[in-house]
Amino acid sequence: MITAIVFLPLLAAIIAGFGGRLIGNLPAKLVTTGALFASCAMSWPIFLSFLSGDATASVTPVLQWVRSGDLAFDWALRVDTLTAVMLVVITSVSALVHLYSWGYMAEDESQPRFFAYLSLFTFAMLMLVTADNLVQMFFGWEGVGLASYLLIGFWYHKPSANAAAIKAFVVNRVGDLGFMLGIFGTFLVFGTVSIPEILEAAPGMAGSTIGFLGLRFDTLTILCLLLFIGAMGKSAQLGLHTWLPDAMEGPTPVSALIHAATMVTAGVFMVCRLSPMFELAPVALGFVTFVGAATCLFAATVGTVQTDIKRVIAYSTCSQLGYMFFAAGVGAYGASMFHLFTHAFFKALLFLGAGSVIHAMHHEQDMRYYGALRKHIPITYWAMMAGTLAITGVGILGVFGFAGFYSKDAILEAAFASGPSGQLAFAVGAFAALLTSFYSWRLIFLTFHGEARWAGSEHIQHAVHDAHGHGHDDHAHGEHDHEAHHENAATGTAGYHPHESPWPMLVPLAVLTVGAVFAGFAFHHSFISAGTGSFWQGSIAFDEHLVHALHEVPLWVKLTPAAVMLIGLAIAWRNYIRDPQAPARFVKAVPDLHRFLVNKWYFDELYNVLFVRPSLWLGKLFWHRGDEQTIDRFGPNGVAVAIGGGSRLASRLQSGFIYSYAFVMLLGLAALVTWAMAAYQ
């Protein structure tokens, strides 16, 4: 069964990718979507069997892979509790994204290619999470990198999409260098790349040192830091995060798949998979905590000023990943994975909901040109409302809460209970939760409430122009359409009526809404509340004392997430419902702060000065001065010029007169005799 789960998406990708033109759009979509729903249907029983305690870890061999000296490993599929959790996340979200794409990509000319890329992406992620050794994990790691490049740049006719794809690829190569060095170092130290063997031998290396950059360092600290650099790139942590917002250039279903279930979750999974090793490197864990908390704060601040609906959700992902990492940093790996699990549902819901809004608004993504959409696309509105309630952590303590209420609150409580460094992360995380509430409700209010601001959108104006140009009037029937026509006329967009998405887009929204509402309530006991960690069966490091400490934190710690959520909601309501002019006054009062946030803390500009420009300067130097003016000049081009000059000189000597040739021969004979006489003397 596990072999079928992993390889069905690959088979579907091959059929749709290489045979798409032959079989057509519909069969390609049927094959890929059917394969993902089949994988999903087989994944849930595996997860539920671990949930009930009826299953144990297993390894399914596929083939012998490498035998080279001391380096030997097979291609095998490992299934334990951690893998089972990732299987349902990946296959469920991917299957729904495939179905959603039927409606969203209905007018695209390259549908087989798109669906093939989606299935390839899913296969690579499945290969990553079922890896039994680090090389196989790296295979999946690079596979999702390749698939993300193909999907972000799917609309390759757009220069911005090509630039975003290259940026994602290059930034991830930086992180992957750290990951490769970590794998090399791990093999050097342990003599194996098998994950179970590494984790079993890790305690014996505690306290040892290794040479690195000419100095001696703690072995496990260096290895874990190098491995975590790989996670920073793949999961867009501060410093290697700059690719993630630009990834919005790809189609919206791609954004949902990247942010909810595949690429960005790979780093969190890797740290949790190797958690027994990280537990032996407290300095590395402290670094993980710091980076996670810093990323959480950074992305939340930037998200508050974004106007593109997809970029708001993208920075939200970056911030939520920060929560997952600082949870791992304080030792709460179960809470980290639980937040990954719940986040997959509500983040996929928010992205696909945003895609439904964009579809309704004729591809307009700027929230400043939205407003008053609540009654036009009610299903999308309530779906995104459920996602917002989940991400902001709405709930009543001890009664019921949406998904984020259980997972994010558990992270904050675990951070507080873990000690001084964790308490600092708790403070940062609580403030980031306030910002999360603000920008999430800001998105809802700007998009669905207030007055319609469609008149300023060029996309809507083009849609109205096209409708009028073809003589269509879609709003002449029914009382509701008559009211919508007058509302549109009042805003200068008569003739355009936002419409609800087709059923292939709405069904995934409905399913994900169920996950966003109930996933936390249904599974929190198994993931984090069971003090014995029996659910995880040793697949992650489980700190029973930390779990018990969660129940002993002060009441104000438990109430803090709810309080900051209400504060963020109140600020958003005041600024975007009660007093819509308040944001403009705030920007006028603190323009430097606003500019700092709009420019994303100037990371892109800083990297441009430190890395991009010097690289371009060196490239031009080596190109013009080195290649053209040195190598080419004195190498092939110089030799060619010399031969050409010699040929022209020789051609002048070919006069055709016998006495000329005789004269040259005499000169040569005289020179030869002179040389011979001089040599013998």
PDB file of all heavy atoms in Angstrom, residues 211-246:
ATOM      1  N   GLY A 211      36.740  18.852  13.849  1.00  0.00           N
ATOM      2  CA  GLY A 211      37.397  19.982  13.216  1.00  0.00           C
ATOM      3  C   GLY A 211      36.523  20.578  12.125  1.00  0.00           C
ATOM      4  O   GLY A 211      36.016  19.859  11.270  1.00  0.00           O
ATOM      5  N   PHE A 212      36.367  21.899  12.179  1.00  0.00           N
ATOM      6  CA  PHE A 212      35.560  22.586  11.181  1.00  0.00           C
ATOM      7  C   PHE A 212      36.095  24.001  11.024  1.00  0.00           C
ATOM      8  O   PHE A 212      36.236  24.729  12.011  1.00  0.00           O
ATOM      9  CB  PHE A 212      34.084  22.606  11.604  1.00  0.00           C
ATOM     10  CG  PHE A 212      33.167  23.216  10.582  1.00  0.00           C
ATOM     11  CD1 PHE A 212      32.915  22.567   9.387  1.00  0.00           C
ATOM     12  CD2 PHE A 212      32.545  24.442  10.804  1.00  0.00           C
ATOM     13  CE1 PHE A 212      32.071  23.117   8.443  1.00  0.00           C
ATOM     14  CE2 PHE A 212      31.702  25.005   9.875  1.00  0.00           C
ATOM     15  CZ  PHE A 212      31.461  24.338   8.682  1.00  0.00           C
ATOM     16  N   LEU A 213      36.445  24.371   9.800  1.00  0.00           N
ATOM     17  CA  LEU A 213      36.998  25.694   9.497  1.00  0.00           C
ATOM     18  C   LEU A 213      38.255  25.988  10.315  1.00  0.00           C
ATOM     19  O   LEU A 213      38.485  27.118  10.754  1.00  0.00           O
ATOM     20  CB  LEU A 213      35.944  26.785   9.735  1.00  0.00           C
ATOM     21  CG  LEU A 213      34.662  26.690   8.901  1.00  0.00           C
ATOM     22  CD1 LEU A 213      33.688  27.787   9.303  1.00  0.00           C
ATOM     23  CD2 LEU A 213      34.979  26.772   7.411  1.00  0.00           C
ATOM     24  N   GLY A 214      39.043  24.944  10.545  1.00  0.00           N
ATOM     25  CA  GLY A 214      40.310  25.120  11.249  1.00  0.00           C
ATOM     26  C   GLY A 214      40.204  25.162  12.757  1.00  0.00           C
ATOM     27  O   GLY A 214      41.217  25.348  13.437  1.00  0.00           O
ATOM     28  N   LEU A 215      39.008  24.984  13.316  1.00  0.00           N
ATOM     29  CA  LEU A 215      38.817  25.016  14.770  1.00  0.00           C
ATOM     30  C   LEU A 215      38.106  23.747  15.218  1.00  0.00           C
ATOM     31  O   LEU A 215      37.627  22.960  14.400  1.00  0.00           O
ATOM     32  CB  LEU A 215      38.003  26.259  15.170  1.00  0.00           C
ATOM     33  CG  LEU A 215      38.619  27.621  14.813  1.00  0.00           C
ATOM     34  CD1 LEU A 215      37.621  28.735  15.110  1.00  0.00           C
ATOM     35  CD2 LEU A 215      39.912  27.850  15.582  1.00  0.00           C
ATOM     36  N   ARG A 216      38.023  23.544  16.521  1.00  0.00           N
ATOM     37  CA  ARG A 216      37.332  22.390  17.082  1.00  0.00           C
ATOM     38  C   ARG A 216      35.998  22.827  17.669  1.00  0.00           C
ATOM     39  O   ARG A 216      35.908  23.811  18.403  1.00  0.00           O
ATOM     40  CB  ARG A 216      38.169  21.738  18.193  1.00  0.00           C
ATOM     41  CG  ARG A 216      39.565  21.298  17.794  1.00  0.00           C
ATOM     42  CD  ARG A 216      39.564  20.177  16.796  1.00  0.00           C
ATOM     43  NE  ARG A 216      38.949  18.945  17.311  1.00  0.00           N
ATOM     44  CZ  ARG A 216      38.903  17.812  16.617  1.00  0.00           C
ATOM     45  NH1 ARG A 216      39.409  17.767  15.378  1.00  0.00           N
ATOM     46  NH2 ARG A 216      38.345  16.739  17.124  1.00  0.00           N
ATOM     47  N   PHE A 217      34.942  22.117  17.303  1.00  0.00           N
ATOM     48  CA  PHE A 217      33.596  22.419  17.789  1.00  0.00           C
ATOM     49  C   PHE A 217      32.930  21.141  18.258  1.00  0.00           C
ATOM     50  O   PHE A 217      33.348  20.032  17.896  1.00  0.00           O
ATOM     51  CB  PHE A 217      32.740  23.056  16.684  1.00  0.00           C
ATOM     52  CG  PHE A 217      33.244  24.382  16.189  1.00  0.00           C
ATOM     53  CD1 PHE A 217      34.044  24.450  15.054  1.00  0.00           C
ATOM     54  CD2 PHE A 217      32.921  25.553  16.845  1.00  0.00           C
ATOM     55  CE1 PHE A 217      34.509  25.665  14.583  1.00  0.00           C
ATOM     56  CE2 PHE A 217      33.374  26.771  16.387  1.00  0.00           C
ATOM     57  CZ  PHE A 217      34.175  26.831  15.252  1.00  0.00           C
ATOM     58  N   ASP A 218      31.859  21.316  19.035  1.00  0.00           N
ATOM     59  CA  ASP A 218      31.055  20.171  19.442  1.00  0.00           C
ATOM     60  C   ASP A 218      30.463  19.496  18.202  1.00  0.00           C
ATOM     61  O   ASP A 218      29.869  20.148  17.346  1.00  0.00           O
ATOM     62  CB  ASP A 218      29.926  20.616  20.379  1.00  0.00           C
ATOM     63  CG  ASP A 218      29.088  19.447  20.851  1.00  0.00           C
ATOM     64  OD1 ASP A 218      29.530  18.721  21.752  1.00  0.00           O
ATOM     65  OD2 ASP A 218      27.983  19.269  20.283  1.00  0.00           O
ATOM     66  N   THR A 219      30.641  18.204  18.114  1.00  0.00           N
ATOM     67  CA  THR A 219      30.284  17.469  16.893  1.00  0.00           C
ATOM     68  C   THR A 219      28.812  17.619  16.547  1.00  0.00           C
ATOM     69  O   THR A 219      28.450  18.016  15.427  1.00  0.00           O
ATOM     70  CB  THR A 219      30.628  15.977  17.056  1.00  0.00           C
ATOM     71  OG1 THR A 219      32.011  15.841  17.336  1.00  0.00           O
ATOM     72  CG2 THR A 219      30.281  15.207  15.788  1.00  0.00           C
ATOM     73  N   LEU A 220      27.941  17.283  17.484  1.00  0.00           N
ATOM     74  CA  LEU A 220      26.514  17.291  17.182  1.00  0.00           C
ATOM     75  C   LEU A 220      26.001  18.710  16.968  1.00  0.00           C
ATOM     76  O   LEU A 220      25.068  18.921  16.177  1.00  0.00           O
ATOM     77  CB  LEU A 220      25.746  16.607  18.308  1.00  0.00           C
ATOM     78  CG  LEU A 220      26.010  15.103  18.442  1.00  0.00           C
ATOM     79  CD1 LEU A 220      25.215  14.507  19.589  1.00  0.00           C
ATOM     80  CD2 LEU A 220      25.656  14.373  17.140  1.00  0.00           C
ATOM     81  N   THR A 221      26.591  19.689  17.618  1.00  0.00           N
ATOM     82  CA  THR A 221      26.173  21.078  17.392  1.00  0.00           C
ATOM     83  C   THR A 221      26.440  21.487  15.953  1.00  0.00           C
ATOM     84  O   THR A 221      25.558  22.056  15.285  1.00  0.00           O
ATOM     85  CB  THR A 221      26.910  22.025  18.356  1.00  0.00           C
ATOM     86  OG1 THR A 221      26.566  21.702  19.701  1.00  0.00           O
ATOM     87  CG2 THR A 221      26.534  23.475  18.069  1.00  0.00           C
ATOM     88  N   ILE A 222      27.646  21.193  15.443  1.00  0.00           N
ATOM     89  CA  ILE A 222      27.978  21.551  14.065  1.00  0.00           C
ATOM     90  C   ILE A 222      27.067  20.819  13.082  1.00  0.00           C
ATOM     91  O   ILE A 222      26.534  21.411  12.132  1.00  0.00           O
ATOM     92  CB  ILE A 222      29.455  21.236  13.770  1.00  0.00           C
ATOM     93  CG1 ILE A 222      30.343  22.243  14.496  1.00  0.00           C
ATOM     94  CG2 ILE A 222      29.747  21.252  12.278  1.00  0.00           C
ATOM     95  CD1 ILE A 222      30.165  23.669  13.999  1.00  0.00           C
ATOM     96  N   LEU A 223      26.876  19.532  13.283  1.00  0.00           N
ATOM     97  CA  LEU A 223      26.037  18.760  12.361  1.00  0.00           C
ATOM     98  C   LEU A 223      24.602  19.278  12.352  1.00  0.00           C
ATOM     99  O   LEU A 223      23.997  19.457  11.285  1.00  0.00           O
ATOM    100  CB  LEU A 223      26.063  17.277  12.746  1.00  0.00           C
ATOM    101  CG  LEU A 223      27.409  16.554  12.630  1.00  0.00           C
ATOM    102  CD1 LEU A 223      27.267  15.097  13.013  1.00  0.00           C
ATOM    103  CD2 LEU A 223      27.973  16.683  11.226  1.00  0.00           C
ATOM    104  N   CYS A 224      24.046  19.537  13.526  1.00  0.00           N
ATOM    105  CA  CYS A 224      22.661  20.011  13.598  1.00  0.00           C
ATOM    106  C   CYS A 224      22.508  21.410  13.012  1.00  0.00           C
ATOM    107  O   CYS A 224      21.509  21.710  12.347  1.00  0.00           O
ATOM    108  CB  CYS A 224      22.167  19.982  15.045  1.00  0.00           C
ATOM    109  SG  CYS A 224      21.933  18.311  15.701  1.00  0.00           S
ATOM    110  N   LEU A 225      23.488  22.282  13.230  1.00  0.00           N
ATOM    111  CA  LEU A 225      23.424  23.626  12.652  1.00  0.00           C
ATOM    112  C   LEU A 225      23.465  23.571  11.130  1.00  0.00           C
ATOM    113  O   LEU A 225      22.719  24.283  10.445  1.00  0.00           O
ATOM    114  CB  LEU A 225      24.567  24.489  13.183  1.00  0.00           C
ATOM    115  CG  LEU A 225      24.440  24.975  14.626  1.00  0.00           C
ATOM    116  CD1 LEU A 225      25.701  25.723  15.051  1.00  0.00           C
ATOM    117  CD2 LEU A 225      23.208  25.872  14.803  1.00  0.00           C
ATOM    118  N   LEU A 226      24.338  22.716  10.582  1.00  0.00           N
ATOM    119  CA  LEU A 226      24.410  22.591   9.126  1.00  0.00           C
ATOM    120  C   LEU A 226      23.110  22.033   8.561  1.00  0.00           C
ATOM    121  O   LEU A 226      22.601  22.520   7.535  1.00  0.00           O
ATOM    122  CB  LEU A 226      25.590  21.686   8.744  1.00  0.00           C
ATOM    123  CG  LEU A 226      26.985  22.271   8.959  1.00  0.00           C
ATOM    124  CD1 LEU A 226      28.049  21.209   8.715  1.00  0.00           C
ATOM    125  CD2 LEU A 226      27.208  23.473   8.045  1.00  0.00           C
ATOM    126  N   LEU A 227      22.555  21.028   9.208  1.00  0.00           N
ATOM    127  CA  LEU A 227      21.279  20.468   8.752  1.00  0.00           C
ATOM    128  C   LEU A 227      20.168  21.507   8.854  1.00  0.00           C
ATOM    129  O   LEU A 227      19.310  21.608   7.963  1.00  0.00           O
ATOM    130  CB  LEU A 227      20.927  19.232   9.575  1.00  0.00           C
ATOM    131  CG  LEU A 227      21.841  18.011   9.380  1.00  0.00           C
ATOM    132  CD1 LEU A 227      21.567  16.969  10.446  1.00  0.00           C
ATOM    133  CD2 LEU A 227      21.666  17.414   7.992  1.00  0.00           C
ATOM    134  N   PHE A 228      20.197  22.301   9.922  1.00  0.00           N
ATOM    135  CA  PHE A 228      19.147  23.313  10.094  1.00  0.00           C
ATOM    136  C   PHE A 228      19.246  24.417   9.055  1.00  0.00           C
ATOM    137  O   PHE A 228      18.225  25.008   8.677  1.00  0.00           O
ATOM    138  CB  PHE A 228      19.210  23.909  11.499  1.00  0.00           C
ATOM    139  CG  PHE A 228      18.183  24.974  11.746  1.00  0.00           C
ATOM    140  CD1 PHE A 228      16.834  24.667  11.716  1.00  0.00           C
ATOM    141  CD2 PHE A 228      18.562  26.289  11.991  1.00  0.00           C
ATOM    142  CE1 PHE A 228      15.875  25.645  11.929  1.00  0.00           C
ATOM    143  CE2 PHE A 228      17.613  27.271  12.209  1.00  0.00           C
ATOM    144  CZ  PHE A 228      16.263  26.949  12.178  1.00  0.00           C
ATOM    145  N   ILE A 229      20.439  24.722   8.563  1.00  0.00           N
ATOM    146  CA  ILE A 229      20.561  25.713   7.486  1.00  0.00           C
ATOM    147  C   ILE A 229      19.774  25.247   6.264  1.00  0.00           C
ATOM    148  O   ILE A 229      19.131  26.049   5.579  1.00  0.00           O
ATOM    149  CB  ILE A 229      22.042  25.949   7.148  1.00  0.00           C
ATOM    150  CG1 ILE A 229      22.725  26.707   8.290  1.00  0.00           C
ATOM    151  CG2 ILE A 229      22.193  26.728   5.839  1.00  0.00           C
ATOM    152  CD1 ILE A 229      24.225  26.836   8.130  1.00  0.00           C
ATOM    153  N   GLY A 230      19.810  23.950   5.998  1.00  0.00           N
ATOM    154  CA  GLY A 230      18.977  23.417   4.926  1.00  0.00           C
ATOM    155  C   GLY A 230      17.504  23.648   5.200  1.00  0.00           C
ATOM    156  O   GLY A 230      16.739  24.030   4.292  1.00  0.00           O
ATOM    157  N   ALA A 231      17.095  23.438   6.448  1.00  0.00           N
ATOM    158  CA  ALA A 231      15.693  23.678   6.812  1.00  0.00           C
ATOM    159  C   ALA A 231      15.331  25.147   6.686  1.00  0.00           C
ATOM    160  O   ALA A 231      14.205  25.495   6.299  1.00  0.00           O
ATOM    161  CB  ALA A 231      15.441  23.193   8.239  1.00  0.00           C
ATOM    162  N   MET A 232      16.261  26.039   6.987  1.00  0.00           N
ATOM    163  CA  MET A 232      15.994  27.475   6.873  1.00  0.00           C
ATOM    164  C   MET A 232      15.680  27.861   5.433  1.00  0.00           C
ATOM    165  O   MET A 232      14.794  28.685   5.171  1.00  0.00           O
ATOM    166  CB  MET A 232      17.203  28.274   7.373  1.00  0.00           C
ATOM    167  CG  MET A 232      17.410  28.264   8.865  1.00  0.00           C
ATOM    168  SD  MET A 232      18.917  29.143   9.349  1.00  0.00           S
ATOM    169  CE  MET A 232      18.531  30.810   8.805  1.00  0.00           C
ATOM    170  N   GLY A 233      16.410  27.279   4.483  1.00  0.00           N
ATOM    171  CA  GLY A 233      16.146  27.601   3.083  1.00  0.00           C
ATOM    172  C   GLY A 233      14.832  27.032   2.609  1.00  0.00           C
ATOM    173  O   GLY A 233      14.012  27.727   1.997  1.00  0.00           O
ATOM    174  N   LYS A 234      14.589  25.771   2.897  1.00  0.00           N
ATOM    175  CA  LYS A 234      13.380  25.122   2.390  1.00  0.00           C
ATOM    176  C   LYS A 234      12.134  25.659   3.074  1.00  0.00           C
ATOM    177  O   LYS A 234      11.081  25.777   2.436  1.00  0.00           O
ATOM    178  CB  LYS A 234      13.504  23.609   2.610  1.00  0.00           C
ATOM    179  CG  LYS A 234      12.590  22.768   1.756  1.00  0.00           C
ATOM    180  CD  LYS A 234      12.918  22.905   0.277  1.00  0.00           C
ATOM    181  CE  LYS A 234      14.244  22.311  -0.082  1.00  0.00           C
ATOM    182  NZ  LYS A 234      14.577  22.450  -1.504  1.00  0.00           N
ATOM    183  N   SER A 235      12.230  25.993   4.352  1.00  0.00           N
ATOM    184  CA  SER A 235      11.068  26.473   5.097  1.00  0.00           C
ATOM    185  C   SER A 235      11.057  27.983   5.277  1.00  0.00           C
ATOM    186  O   SER A 235      10.328  28.512   6.113  1.00  0.00           O
ATOM    187  CB  SER A 235      11.005  25.790   6.476  1.00  0.00           C
ATOM    188  OG  SER A 235      10.801  24.400   6.333  1.00  0.00           O
ATOM    189  N   ALA A 236      11.861  28.698   4.487  1.00  0.00           N
ATOM    190  CA  ALA A 236      11.815  30.164   4.399  1.00  0.00           C
ATOM    191  C   ALA A 236      11.946  30.846   5.754  1.00  0.00           C
ATOM    192  O   ALA A 236      11.145  31.713   6.109  1.00  0.00           O
ATOM    193  CB  ALA A 236      10.520  30.602   3.709  1.00  0.00           C
ATOM    194  N   GLN A 237      12.986  30.461   6.505  1.00  0.00           N
ATOM    195  CA  GLN A 237      13.245  31.145   7.776  1.00  0.00           C
ATOM    196  C   GLN A 237      14.082  32.390   7.533  1.00  0.00           C
ATOM    197  O   GLN A 237      14.726  32.545   6.503  1.00  0.00           O
ATOM    198  CB  GLN A 237      13.936  30.188   8.741  1.00  0.00           C
ATOM    199  CG  GLN A 237      13.041  29.050   9.201  1.00  0.00           C
ATOM    200  CD  GLN A 237      11.772  29.525   9.882  1.00  0.00           C
ATOM    201  OE1 GLN A 237      11.770  29.914  11.042  1.00  0.00           O
ATOM    202  NE2 GLN A 237      10.645  29.495   9.164  1.00  0.00           N
ATOM    203  N   LEU A 238      14.069  33.291   8.509  1.00  0.00           N
ATOM    204  CA  LEU A 238      14.675  34.615   8.366  1.00  0.00           C
ATOM    205  C   LEU A 238      16.114  34.509   7.862  1.00  0.00           C
ATOM    206  O   LEU A 238      16.948  33.813   8.439  1.00  0.00           O
ATOM    207  CB  LEU A 238      14.655  35.331   9.723  1.00  0.00           C
ATOM    208  CG  LEU A 238      15.049  36.816   9.689  1.00  0.00           C
ATOM    209  CD1 LEU A 238      14.038  37.619   8.905  1.00  0.00           C
ATOM    210  CD2 LEU A 238      15.174  37.356  11.113  1.00  0.00           C
ATOM    211  N   GLY A 239      16.395  35.227   6.812  1.00  0.00           N
ATOM    212  CA  GLY A 239      17.684  35.183   6.160  1.00  0.00           C
ATOM    213  C   GLY A 239      17.626  34.466   4.833  1.00  0.00           C
ATOM    214  O   GLY A 239      18.242  34.889   3.856  1.00  0.00           O
ATOM    215  N   LEU A 240      16.865  33.383   4.783  1.00  0.00           N
ATOM    216  CA  LEU A 240      16.671  32.641   3.528  1.00  0.00           C
ATOM    217  C   LEU A 240      15.191  32.603   3.163  1.00  0.00           C
ATOM    218  O   LEU A 240      14.717  31.665   2.525  1.00  0.00           O
ATOM    219  CB  LEU A 240      17.229  31.216   3.670  1.00  0.00           C
ATOM    220  CG  LEU A 240      18.747  31.111   3.897  1.00  0.00           C
ATOM    221  CD1 LEU A 240      19.162  29.652   4.095  1.00  0.00           C
ATOM    222  CD2 LEU A 240      19.522  31.716   2.739  1.00  0.00           C
ATOM    223  N   HIS A 241      14.479  33.640   3.552  1.00  0.00           N
ATOM    224  CA  HIS A 241      13.028  33.705   3.363  1.00  0.00           C
ATOM    225  C   HIS A 241      12.617  34.449   2.103  1.00  0.00           C
ATOM    226  O   HIS A 241      11.440  34.420   1.736  1.00  0.00           O
ATOM    227  CB  HIS A 241      12.411  34.449   4.556  1.00  0.00           C
ATOM    228  CG  HIS A 241      12.801  35.896   4.581  1.00  0.00           C
ATOM    229  ND1 HIS A 241      14.013  36.318   5.090  1.00  0.00           N
ATOM    230  CD2 HIS A 241      12.187  37.015   4.110  1.00  0.00           C
ATOM    231  CE1 HIS A 241      14.114  37.629   4.936  1.00  0.00           C
ATOM    232  NE2 HIS A 241      13.027  38.075   4.359  1.00  0.00           N
ATOM    233  N   THR A 242      13.538  35.146   1.453  1.00  0.00           N
ATOM    234  CA  THR A 242      13.168  36.148   0.452  1.00  0.00           C
ATOM    235  C   THR A 242      12.471  35.554  -0.769  1.00  0.00           C
ATOM    236  O   THR A 242      11.796  36.276  -1.502  1.00  0.00           O
ATOM    237  CB  THR A 242      14.411  36.923  -0.008  1.00  0.00           C
ATOM    238  OG1 THR A 242      15.419  35.989  -0.430  1.00  0.00           O
ATOM    239  CG2 THR A 242      14.971  37.761   1.139  1.00  0.00           C
ATOM    240  N   TRP A 243      12.601  34.246  -0.977  1.00  0.00           N
ATOM    241  CA  TRP A 243      11.971  33.632  -2.145  1.00  0.00           C
ATOM    242  C   TRP A 243      10.474  33.408  -1.959  1.00  0.00           C
ATOM    243  O   TRP A 243       9.727  33.370  -2.945  1.00  0.00           O
ATOM    244  CB  TRP A 243      12.630  32.286  -2.457  1.00  0.00           C
ATOM    245  CG  TRP A 243      12.405  31.236  -1.404  1.00  0.00           C
ATOM    246  CD1 TRP A 243      13.173  30.980  -0.312  1.00  0.00           C
ATOM    247  CD2 TRP A 243      11.320  30.294  -1.346  1.00  0.00           C
ATOM    248  NE1 TRP A 243      12.647  29.947   0.428  1.00  0.00           N
ATOM    249  CE2 TRP A 243      11.521  29.507  -0.182  1.00  0.00           C
ATOM    250  CE3 TRP A 243      10.219  30.038  -2.157  1.00  0.00           C
ATOM    251  CZ2 TRP A 243      10.650  28.487   0.176  1.00  0.00           C
ATOM    252  CZ3 TRP A 243       9.340  29.018  -1.799  1.00  0.00           C
ATOM    253  CH2 TRP A 243       9.563  28.258  -0.644  1.00  0.00           C
ATOM    254  N   LEU A 244      10.032  33.285  -0.710  1.00  0.00           N
ATOM    255  CA  LEU A 244       8.668  32.816  -0.463  1.00  0.00           C
ATOM    256  C   LEU A 244       7.592  33.786  -0.959  1.00  0.00           C
ATOM    257  O   LEU A 244       6.660  33.366  -1.654  1.00  0.00           O
ATOM    258  CB  LEU A 244       8.481  32.510   1.028  1.00  0.00           C
ATOM    259  CG  LEU A 244       7.172  31.810   1.393  1.00  0.00           C
ATOM    260  CD1 LEU A 244       7.117  30.427   0.749  1.00  0.00           C
ATOM    261  CD2 LEU A 244       7.049  31.644   2.905  1.00  0.00           C
ATOM    262  N   PRO A 245       7.661  35.086  -0.650  1.00  0.00           N
ATOM    263  CA  PRO A 245       6.605  35.989  -1.156  1.00  0.00           C
ATOM    264  C   PRO A 245       6.584  36.064  -2.682  1.00  0.00           C
ATOM    265  O   PRO A 245       5.510  36.147  -3.284  1.00  0.00           O
ATOM    266  CB  PRO A 245       6.977  37.342  -0.537  1.00  0.00           C
ATOM    267  CG  PRO A 245       7.847  37.014   0.626  1.00  0.00           C
ATOM    268  CD  PRO A 245       8.602  35.800   0.235  1.00  0.00           C
ATOM    269  N   ASP A 246       7.743  36.017  -3.321  1.00  0.00           N
ATOM    270  CA  ASP A 246       7.784  36.073  -4.777  1.00  0.00           C
ATOM    271  C   ASP A 246       7.207  34.818  -5.407  1.00  0.00           C
ATOM    272  O   ASP A 246       6.847  34.824  -6.590  1.00  0.00           O
ATOM    273  CB  ASP A 246       9.225  36.274  -5.256  1.00  0.00           C
ATOM    274  CG  ASP A 246       9.759  37.648  -4.905  1.00  0.00           C
ATOM    275  OD1 ASP A 246       8.953  38.487  -4.476  1.00  0.00           O
ATOM    276  OD2 ASP A 246      10.964  37.883  -5.044  1.00  0.00           O
TER     277      ASP A 246
END
